Amino acid sequence: MSLPLTLDQREFSCRAGPREELVGEIIQKISASLSILGSVYIVADVVRKLRNGKKTDPYQRIMLCLSTFDILFSSVCFLGTWLTPKETGWLWSVGNTNSCSTQGFFTVLGLMGEFLYQMALSLNVLILIVFGWNQDKFAAKVEKPMHIAIIAVALSTALVPLAYQSYNPSCGTCWSMFIADKCSNGEECIVRGSRTVFVAYSYIQGATLFIMNVFCTVAMV
């Protein structure tokens, strides 16, 4: 499936020219590859312990989930513009609307999961140090509902834009965005996506990042 209409390719660009696009894509693929390798190592280490019957604590299991979400996010970052609709004219873009929606979904899912599990790590350390709990008590009273809540929030956050066709290309990637064009009467028309979802997710992204930074900082003080 292709984009609903041919728009000015400059609408999808945020770089000065092809050279800047190339440098950006190379840096993104290198950094994503390193992140994937690190996260795969953590996942493999914890899973190996679980398979061998060795005891793992909540901190290790939180790291397992955090690394899993990072693999999802870093993978779509590595694929980059290969998933972006070719109609955008972006460097190396060979995708379509379906691949764009897939990229957007896993970007939001991965990011939200990472943000929330970063907070979970800080929560774990905070409770152990400040309140004097041990890992067994944390596992019994907090861990299970914490995992359920994080996964539910991350999934629901990623699914809403999908339902409103709001994963669209922007700056060489696909994110919660709407596509607009001029109507016959000269006014702006939304041809794909939702402006409301775009605005809401801009606030959600900013608020989540702010809360994560504040919580993790306060927890470590």
Side-chain angles (χ1 to χ4, degrees):
M1 181 183 293
S2 61
L3 288 176
L5 76 171
T6 302
L7 301 174
D8 189 338
Q9 292 178 353
R10 291 173 296 179
E11 295 293 328
F12 302 102
S13 179
C14 64
R15 303 282 169 79
R19 181 177 180 180
E20 287 74 14
E21 291 181 16
L22 177 61
V23 172
E25 280 299 303
I26 292 175
I27 293 175
Q28 179 172 304
K29 291 186 186 303
I30 292 175
S31 59
S33 299
L34 295 175
S35 183
I36 291 171
L37 288 174
S39 293
V40 167
Y41 178 82
I42 293 173
V43 170
D45 181 62
V46 178
V47 170
R48 182 168 57 250
K49 291 178 180 178
L50 292 171
R51 291 181 62 182
N52 293 336
K54 294 183 179 179
K55 184 178 180 180
T56 59
D57 58 36
Y59 185 89
Q60 292 173 309
R61 293 191 289 271
I62 291 172
M63 283 300 301
L64 170 65
C65 295
L66 172 60
S67 299
T68 300
F69 277 106
D70 180 67
I71 291 171
L72 294 176
F73 174 65
S74 297
S75 294
V76 291
C77 283
F78 176 81
L79 293 173
T81 55
W82 292 333
L83 298 176
T84 305
K86 58 185 178 181
E87 291 88 351
T88 61
W90 193 266
L91 180 69
W92 300 337
S93 58
V94 294
N96 53 35
T97 301
N98 291 332
S99 63
C100 184
S101 295
T102 300
Q103 183 182 44
F105 174 80
F106 284 108
T107 296
V108 172
L109 178 64
L111 269 181
M112 186 60 67
E114 285 192 75
F115 287 165
L116 295 175
Y117 272 112
Q118 286 286 358
M119 294 174 65
L121 281 177
S122 297
L123 177 66
N124 178 253
V125 175
L126 175 68
I127 290 180
L128 265 61
I129 295 177
V130 176
F131 297 98
W133 287 23
N134 56 35
Q135 291 287 22
D136 290 335
K137 186 176 181 180
F138 183 91
K141 292 183 175 294
V142 177
E143 187 179 11
K144 185 175 180 179
M146 178 193 70
H147 285 301
I148 293 174
I150 289 176
I151 293 173
V153 170
L155 271 175
S156 59
T157 304
L159 284 170
V160 172
L162 198 63
Y164 287 90
Q165 296 186 331
S166 289
Y167 287 128
N168 294 298
S170 174
C171 195
T173 189
C174 292
W175 184 249
S176 179
M177 175 64 63
F178 61 91
I179 299 178
D181 196 18
K182 293 294 183 181
C183 294
S184 57
N185 59 6
E187 296 181 357
E188 184 181 70
C189 290
I190 306 298
V191 296
R192 193 172 194 275
S194 167
R195 186 189 297 274
T196 302
V197 172
F198 165 70
V199 173
Y201 271 67
S202 297
Y203 282 112
I204 289 173
Q205 178 191 11
T208 304
L209 184 59
F210 175 77
I211 293 171
M212 181 194 71
N213 287 327
V214 171
F215 180 81
C216 292
T217 301
V218 172
M220 294 297 105
V221 173

